[in-house]
Amino acid sequence: MKLKEKLSGLIGLSVAGLMMFSCTEAKEANYQIIPMPLDIQMAEKGKFVLAEGTPVIYPEGNDKMQNNANFLAEYVKEKTGITLSPTTGNEGKGIVLKVEENKDKPEGYTLKVTANNVTICGGSEAGVFYGIQTLRKALPVVQGEKVALPAVEINDAPRFNYRGGMLDVARHYCTLDSVKRFIDILAMHNINRFHWHLSEDQGWRIEIKSRPLLTEKGSMRAETIIGRTDKYDGKPHGGFFTQEEAREIVAYAADRYITVIPEIDMPGHMLSALHAYPELGCTGGPYEVWCHWGVSKDVLCAGNDATLKFIEDVLGEIVEIFPSEYIHVGGDECPKTRWESCPKCQARIKALGIKGDEKHTAEQYLQSFIINHAEKFLNSKGRQIIGWDEILEGGLAPNATVMSWRGEEGGIEAARQKHNVIMTPHTYLYFDYYQTYDIKNEPLAIGGRLPLERVYNYDPVPKVLSPEEQKYIVGVQANLWTEYISTFRYAEYMLLPRLAALSEIQWCSADKKNYECFLSRLPRMAQLYDLKQYNYATHAFDITRTLVPDSTEHTLKVAFKTIDNCPIHYTIDGTEPTASSPLYTDTLMIKEACTLSAVGIRPNGKTRIFTEEVKIP
Ligand SMILES: [Zn+2]
């Protein structure tokens, strides 16, 4: 057995050696990427070899296509070191980018590779961009070597029009550069909406010129609670984005076919605004910008006309900064405690003739009055609202889109009421949750357990809806709340690779999804993460093992695996396995109780060490 192992090891080595020789010609692209394209037809033979100066041909006078060409050149340079030459034209030998307008599938594209050229044809400029992303992700990471694209025809288009990612910059502020890095991460996952959560009890993050105190006073908190203690760090925390910076973000995102959807969360989660303008609260304050987490009882006073004016002032400037069709007005977690005892709020309830009934309290209907007011104002500016699923309580504003976060029930209810829905249930898509069950070595998270596989297997279209109702599920989004995520480096860790799983929920049709297949493609994606120096979680890359006890033979069969089949070394004597420990090649037959340890060795590092006390049946 041992001799055979040794022999097969030698044979393996020599084959690998031969392959290395034969591969010096060109490293090949591989189209098995994330998200998986809808249809890939490999040609029997032929390949296009990328070379220094290969032209990227795009139509003259189209700035978006010029941008696309520059992106492609940048990506190819980054992965292969090869410099392409963007140039105007309509055809020729090289990489041809073109648009054939397709109103049904504007984000779809065809990527065709022959020995003579590569053509990316999009249903719009956005479709071309996604074709470029596919090509980018298919490329090997090499330097100073030739790269060949095997002949292929790929036809691809997304499942959902709305493919979102939310970042909370209010609980923890992050820099303009980090926001751009977030957008880059969204773009490489074919995500087209950036939901930007800009206001909170713990900080106001966007300049509003007519309300300067929002940022002067509301953007800074005195200190921050430390982890899950009752201690505070004593360090002021804050920051905000000027309107000019926010416009820079809008443009940066637009270049990558991402729409920025700003969120001003109202009427709850407003302590930072109340600190700045205490007259907008039911009690008149004083209020502090919160230094801890949770849901505050102090909210905007719904009975005060100044509140309505405040909402209009803020949203009036927001629509000038953000051209998105949708503006998010929050609506979540608004306790009605203050409203119940506030004379102004009660007077408003009386004046409007609001009465509580078996479905909702009068105060819940009063919240609908506020959200309706925001909607009417935004509609008058040609915009639509999105709100969290609490906006269902007290009746939906007429044209509102519902973001279902407390589960799917809100989304199901809204779809039945013929309102558009974006699914973002916390049980599958809250990326502030832990991503492993074994949390002792994890950085502090808000709670929950949301491993990659659970995210991946989520399907956002509930089966209880009729086919007609299902059409109202327009999209799906993951959210990254940042109570416990104080740096963007940590945010990356929480996002990746779960965002890769999200991208397949958003892009791939349900019947094409397969977790094992996804895992097999993940190492290629991780090469890009490595190249970009993103801080991603590596649980999926760890060693998994299967145990098969044989009680008649009194042995235990142990098999190890990693998703990229990297070399695994093991020990059975309790010592730490290293690259010089025995190489795992085949199922181990364990005959005596022992401490089994194993480690996977990769060019870019090691896996976590697997250790298990093994007992014999
Ligand atoms: Zn009030």
Side-chain angles (χ1 to χ4, degrees):
M1 170 106 177
K2 277 206 163 164
L3 184 66
K4 200 178 151 202
E5 261 184 37
K6 270 190 182 165
L7 274 175
S8 67
L10 281 172
I11 291 164
L13 193 69
S14 59
V15 170
L18 280 174
M19 280 174 66
M20 277 174 70
F21 280 112
S22 63
C23 284
T24 48
E25 276 194 350
K27 286 273 169 58
E28 291 203 345
N30 184 329
Y31 307 112
Q32 299 286 311
I33 57 142
I34 295 172
M36 185 71 167
L38 197 56
D39 182 55
I40 302 176
Q41 300 294 332
M42 299 299 297
E44 280 190 9
K45 57 179 184 176
K47 51 186 144 186
F48 182 89
V49 178
L50 285 180
E52 283 293 315
T54 295
V56 182
I57 303 161
Y58 64 92
E60 195 170 0
N62 185 329
D63 291 347
K64 287 182 174 178
M65 292 297 275
Q66 185 177 7
N67 271 347
N68 278 339
N70 289 336
F71 277 129
L72 179 59
E74 177 192 320
Y75 298 149
V76 169
K77 180 83 182 170
E78 187 173 62
K79 272 193 124 176
T80 69
I82 296 168
T83 307
L84 305 182
S85 300
T87 173
T88 56
N90 293 313
E91 54 193 293
K93 194 169 159 44
I95 303 174
V96 180
L97 306 181
K98 59 181 180 180
V99 174
E100 282 176 11
E101 195 180 323
N102 182 335
K103 288 209 164 64
D104 294 330
K105 293 179 181 172
E107 294 179 303
Y109 66 90
T110 303
L111 167 62
K112 196 171 178 187
V113 177
T114 67
N116 286 324
N117 55 13
V118 177
T119 308
I120 299 175
C121 179
S124 69
E125 288 86 357
V128 175
F129 182 74
Y130 295 120
I132 288 169
Q133 290 297 332
T134 293
L135 190 58
R136 166 201 200 182
K137 286 179 271 192
L139 292 173
V141 179
V142 295
Q143 281 296 329
E145 289 177 79
K146 281 187 181 168
V147 172
L149 308 173
V152 72
E153 181 166 337
I154 296 174
N155 282 288
D156 198 11
R159 179 182 181 193
F160 290 104
N161 292 332
Y162 182 111
R163 303 182 301 280
M166 186 281 271
L167 181 64
D168 167 15
V169 297
R171 266 56 171 269
H172 277 100
Y173 169 77
C174 71
T175 64
L176 192 69
D177 281 346
S178 295
V179 176
K180 288 180 180 174
R181 200 166 158 93
F182 181 74
I183 290 168
D184 288 341
I185 291 172
L186 296 183
M188 72 165 63
H189 293 90
N190 297 11
I191 294 173
N192 65 0
R193 299 289 194 285
F194 166 30
H195 170 177
W196 200 8
H197 187 77
L198 286 165
S199 68
E200 262 305 335
D201 294 317
Q202 293 84 7
W204 188 278
R205 303 280 175 246
I206 180 79
E207 177 189 27
I208 301 295
K209 292 183 198 276
S210 63
R211 302 280 176 160
L213 298 183
L214 284 173
T215 45
E216 275 174 37
K217 295 183 76 176
S219 69
M220 193 64 70
R221 61 176 177 259
E223 54 186 352
T224 303
I225 194 164
I226 300 172
R228 251 184 259 290
T229 68
D230 53 5
K231 295 189 175 64
Y232 289 78
D233 65 5
K235 294 177 211 154
H237 176 90
F240 67 92
F241 299 91
T242 64
Q243 295 195 357
E244 196 181 347
E245 287 172 328
R247 285 195 177 92
E248 191 178 326
I249 290 297
V250 168
Y252 189 87
D255 281 347
R256 289 151 184 81
Y257 302 92
I258 294 172
T259 302
V260 183
I261 297 178
E263 180 186 355
I264 300 297
D265 199 348
M266 65 182 76
H269 290 287
M270 269 285 171
L271 273 179
S272 58
L274 292 179
H275 174 60
Y277 298 99
E279 65 273 20
L280 299 176
C282 291
T283 64
Y287 306 99
E288 291 302 319
V289 182
W290 253 11
C291 301
H292 58 277
W293 323 120
V295 177
S296 167
K297 287 193 186 81
D298 286 305
V299 302
L300 291 177
C301 175
N304 190 343
D305 286 342
T307 294
L308 303 181
K309 177 76 166 57
F310 170 79
I311 290 170
E312 290 178 13
D313 285 351
V314 170
L315 293 180
E317 292 191 37
I318 288 289
V319 296
E320 292 298 318
I321 306 166
F322 298 95
S324 60
E325 182 187 358
Y326 289 93
I327 305 291
H328 204 306
V329 296
D332 63 319
E333 297 181 326
C334 178
K336 309 297 186 287
T337 326
R338 295 287 184 251
W339 293 359
E340 283 162 9
S341 55
C342 169
K344 282 183 191 155
C345 286
Q346 291 303 316
R348 174 87 73 199
I349 285 172
K350 210 170 165 197
L352 293 170
I354 295 174
K355 290 198 170 51
D357 54 29
E358 66 282 358
K359 276 180 87 180
H360 303 293
T361 63
E363 286 76 18
Q364 282 175 324
Y365 285 113
L366 188 59
Q367 166 150 343
S368 288
F369 162 76
I370 292 285
I371 299 292
N372 277 332
H373 185 84
E375 178 173 53
K376 248 182 261 164
F377 177 78
L378 287 169
N379 286 169
S380 78
K381 304 282 178 189
R383 311 301 180 91
Q384 306 291 331
I385 66 163
I386 301 179
W388 300 107
D389 58 58
E390 285 95 330
I391 66 169
L392 280 153
E393 295 163 4
L396 268 183
N399 302 309
T401 295
V402 171
M403 214 169 243
S404 189
W405 76 275
R406 292 180 297 179
E408 291 190 311
E409 294 73 21
I412 290 167
E413 173 65 25
R416 286 182 172 148
Q417 293 184 29
K418 300 190 191 317
H419 282 259
N420 283 341
V421 172
I422 295 150
M423 283 295 189
T424 179
H426 68 98
T427 45
Y428 292 94
L429 296 172
Y430 268 33
F431 288 178
D432 53 336
Y433 287 8
Y434 286 108
Q435 48 200 323
T436 172
Y437 292 100
D438 177 22
I439 63 169
K440 63 179 183 294
N441 297 314
E442 291 296 303
L444 186 66
I446 201 162
R449 300 289 187 277
L450 199 44
L452 189 62
E453 184 170 7
R454 183 172 167 84
V455 175
Y456 188 85
N457 287 325
Y458 177 60
D459 188 83
V461 180
K463 303 275 182 296
V464 297
L465 293 176
S466 70
E468 198 48 44
E469 290 163 345
Q470 287 179 1
K471 289 179 189 158
Y472 290 98
I473 311 293
V474 296
V476 56
Q477 172 174 301
N479 298 331
L480 188 62
W481 302 104
T482 57
E483 283 95 332
Y484 295 94
I485 299 170
S486 56
T487 67
F488 192 73
R489 199 79 189 133
Y490 181 21
E492 288 175 10
Y493 179 83
M494 299 305 269
L495 288 166
L496 302 174
R498 288 188 288 195
L499 213 64
L502 172 72
S503 77
E504 296 223 337
I505 301 172
Q506 295 172 327
W507 189 272
C508 305
S509 58
D511 60 333
K512 293 264 179 181
K513 277 172 63 197
N514 178 302
Y515 185 62
E516 288 302 315
C517 173
F518 167 77
L519 285 182
S520 74
R521 290 176 275 118
L522 190 56
R524 190 162 299 110
M525 194 67 167
Q527 287 180 355
L528 186 53
Y529 296 164
D530 284 330
L531 199 62
K532 304 296 292 182
Q533 299 187 326
Y534 294 146
N535 178 29
Y536 61 96
T538 57
H539 307 93
F541 292 83
D542 282 343
I543 293 172
T544 54
R545 66 98 180 92
T546 48
L547 293 179
V548 182
D550 185 333
S551 53
T552 51
E553 291 284 320
H554 299 289
T555 58
L556 195 64
K557 290 181 186 166
V558 182
F560 291 127
K561 205 177 148 221
T562 59
I563 60 172
D564 56 349
N565 296 314
C566 74
I568 295 172
H569 297 264
Y570 68 96
T571 62
I572 54 172
D573 58 3
T575 57
E576 187 174 312
T578 65
S580 46
S581 307
L583 180 68
Y584 170 84
T585 54
D586 201 350
T587 305
L588 301 173
M589 308 284 270
I590 307 284
K591 291 186 189 284
E592 284 174 31
C594 66
T595 304
L596 183 61
S597 302
V599 65
I601 306 285
R602 297 191 174 94
N604 61 348
K606 298 178 197 174
T607 64
R608 262 170 282 255
I609 292 176
F610 167 91
T611 296
E612 191 166 19
E613 295 298 329
V614 176
K615 293 192 179 74
I616 302 302

